[in-house]
Amino acid sequence: MDSLSDPGSLRERADVAFREERSVDERDGFEYFASIQGMVAVGITNEAAEVLLMNSPHGWRLPYGPVGTDEDWVDAGRHVGQELTGVDVDIDRVERVGQTTHCLNGDETRETTSYDVILRARTVQGSPIAGDPSFGPWDELEMGWFDAVPDDAYWDHGDAVDDIRRFVTGE
């Protein structure tokens, strides 16, 4: 897959899970999502049928990061994957798109839209992890390869666990 500029264009595609939701956000959250297109996560698997996960403050989840207002989604996903693995990461396809309409708490006439896009990367060889995996707001990340959803995954965010399940066999 070469590029993706508008995740909303995938709404009617039968091969892409698409969901829509609304949220009421406090000013900081609202302004953050108004400043980016959304978040991209990348499912990177290896020949041993393991998936690369990052340990976020809330638990293990797919590697993810923000997509800037003028940034291509595939380029952003490829960048996240390459920064964390240290190898070239090729994106195969879109797995899931979530579209969220954010309303400002106290002024629900103010809205902004963001997307969560889950990309599937082509299988990588071995179990690569960059020597110093970091990007965006994270200057130190714990990374690991898993063949199942870990017990300490980000269970409070149902999509995070469901997204891991998309990439591990036997779940």
Side-chain angles (χ1 to χ4, degrees):
M1 179 171 205
D2 292 326
S3 69
L4 175 63
S5 60
D6 178 13
S9 68
L10 303 175
R11 178 180 282 109
E12 303 302 324
R13 292 245 321 246
D15 61 335
V16 175
F18 196 101
R19 68 166 171 71
E20 297 177 64
E21 64 182 32
R22 295 181 68 82
S23 72
V24 177
D25 301 332
E26 296 302 321
R27 183 167 302 281
D28 287 349
F30 179 86
E31 289 176 359
Y32 177 72
F33 284 107
S35 72
I36 62 173
Q37 290 187 74
M39 303 296 278
V40 65
V42 186
I44 303 169
T45 56
N46 64 16
E47 296 157 326
E50 298 168 319
V51 64
L52 181 66
L53 300 178
M54 62 185 266
N55 197 1
S56 75
H58 307 288
W60 292 96
R61 64 183 305 164
L62 294 176
Y64 73 100
V67 179
T69 55
D70 295 328
E71 195 171 8
D72 180 84
W73 289 84
V74 172
D75 287 345
R78 190 179 297 119
H79 176 74
V80 167
Q82 290 172 346
E83 286 294 313
L84 299 179
T85 64
V87 300
D88 288 341
V89 172
D90 294 318
I91 303 302
D92 189 37
R93 67 180 181 272
V94 177
E95 287 284 323
R96 178 181 68 77
V97 174
Q99 176 183 318
T100 303
T101 301
H102 302 269
C103 301
L104 178 61
N105 190 15
D107 183 3
E108 294 181 25
T109 61
R110 289 195 54 204
E111 293 183 348
T112 190
T113 300
S114 71
Y115 293 93
D116 291 322
V117 175
I118 308 302
L119 301 174
R120 179 177 291 270
R122 292 196 178 101
T123 302
V124 298
Q125 293 186 353
S127 300
I129 295 177
D132 182 20
S134 63
F135 71 97
W138 301 283
D139 56 2
E140 231 177 87
L141 281 172
E142 181 182 4
M143 305 296 300
W145 289 89
F146 295 82
D147 62 3
V149 176
D151 291 338
D152 53 349
Y154 187 9
W155 290 96
D156 291 339
H157 189 315
D159 285 344
V161 171
D162 291 343
D163 292 336
I164 295 169
R165 286 187 176 120
R166 291 177 187 278
F167 297 95
V168 292
T169 58
E171 296 222 18

